[in-house]
Amino acid sequence: MNFYPHERLGLFIDGSNLYAAARALGFDIDYRRLLELFATEATLIRAFYYTALLEDQDYSPIRPLVDWLDYNGYTMVTKPTKEFTDAVTGRRKIKGNMDIELAVDVMEMSEHLDHVVLFSGDGDFRRLVEAIQRRGVRVTVVSTIRSQPPMVADELRRQADFFLELQELQPRIERLGNHRGGELPASDGPGSYVEPA
């Protein structure tokens, strides 16, 4: 990895995007191991995790993960999903895009960071990456090109200073065995992926 020990590091995790990438590669992420890995590489200032939550449900499959992350070193950024009916197909859809929240936080934090690690392959973040690079912040994008189709947009990968292939991180961040009571749940879990807007 391309980090300097003295660098001030910020992690920005697009939860649904990272979940989809890891799932496409066939593994679950252990968020405790992920945090420890990056804390050993540089001076970790903050780790943000972004996800939309389904409203009006007695139980959300992502709630245990959100609670665990909130108590174990992550700054959680959540918002309720919005439900709408597609005018063309008449199908019910759920929207829960966290791009704006992530972009605002990256811009606000950029003056306190030397290096941003963006866990997302969403090409919409290319301009964000370019903007913080102009402020002197280095950017690493974590996603995968090894899934079919690749989960990272080519324009985002080209704009980043560095690209980390998620599959190469797998041995260091994969959830091992079964975790029991009070320990870290897997990832965003089945049924919790929300279609981006």
Side-chain angles (χ1 to χ4, degrees):
M1 292 198 282
N2 296 293
F3 300 100
Y4 301 121
H6 66 277
E7 275 188 315
R8 297 169 302 165
L9 184 64
L11 308 182
F12 296 85
I13 301 170
D14 177 344
S16 63
N17 195 287
L18 180 59
Y19 170 74
R23 194 50 102 193
L25 295 171
F27 76 97
D28 286 324
I29 294 173
D30 183 327
Y31 286 94
R32 180 188 320 270
R33 294 181 74 199
L34 185 144
L35 200 61
E36 289 169 356
L37 171 63
F38 285 92
T40 63
E41 294 292 325
T43 303
L44 183 60
I45 302 299
R46 183 103 38 236
F48 290 89
Y49 187 96
Y50 300 83
T51 191
L53 298 173
L54 296 170
E55 281 188 323
D56 303 325
Q57 278 192 333
D58 293 335
Y59 174 77
S60 168
I62 194 175
R63 178 51 65 187
L65 174 66
V66 168
D67 291 342
W68 188 93
L69 292 171
D70 206 17
Y71 283 108
N72 287 279
Y74 288 84
T75 300
M76 296 304 301
V77 182
T78 63
K79 74 177 180 185
T81 59
K82 293 187 176 16
E83 187 177 330
F84 67 98
T85 303
D86 187 300
V88 176
T89 65
R91 292 178 50 204
R92 180 182 150 251
K93 291 194 172 192
I94 296 173
K95 184 169 106 175
N97 193 317
M98 299 294 292
D99 290 3
I100 296 298
E101 289 79 1
L102 189 150
V104 167
D105 289 345
V106 169
M107 291 301 291
E108 286 182 349
M109 288 293 297
S110 66
E111 67 186 77
H112 307 289
L113 301 172
D114 301 307
H115 201 140
V116 163
V117 180
L118 175 62
F119 291 81
S120 181
D122 189 338
D124 290 343
F125 289 128
R126 190 201 67 77
R127 288 282 291 141
L128 170 66
V129 170
E130 182 183 35
I132 62 172
Q133 286 171 328
R134 285 194 306 266
R135 293 178 172 208
V137 177
R138 298 187 325 143
V139 179
T140 294
V141 167
V142 180
S143 189
T144 185
I145 58 172
R146 296 188 181 154
S147 61
Q148 289 302 320
M151 298 291 292
V152 64
D154 188 57
E155 63 271 19
L156 178 64
R157 189 170 164 224
R158 287 175 186 267
Q159 185 67 50
D161 296 296
F162 307 102
F163 174 73
L164 269 176
E165 170 57 51
L166 184 60
Q167 192 174 51
E168 291 175 11
L169 290 179
Q170 182 176 347
R172 300 170 78 181
I173 65 170
E174 181 175 18
R175 186 170 61 98
L176 305 172
N178 292 327
H179 289 283
R180 290 182 295 278
E183 292 186 22
L184 172 63
S187 52
D188 272 4
S192 62
Y193 178 75
V194 176
E195 178 181 318

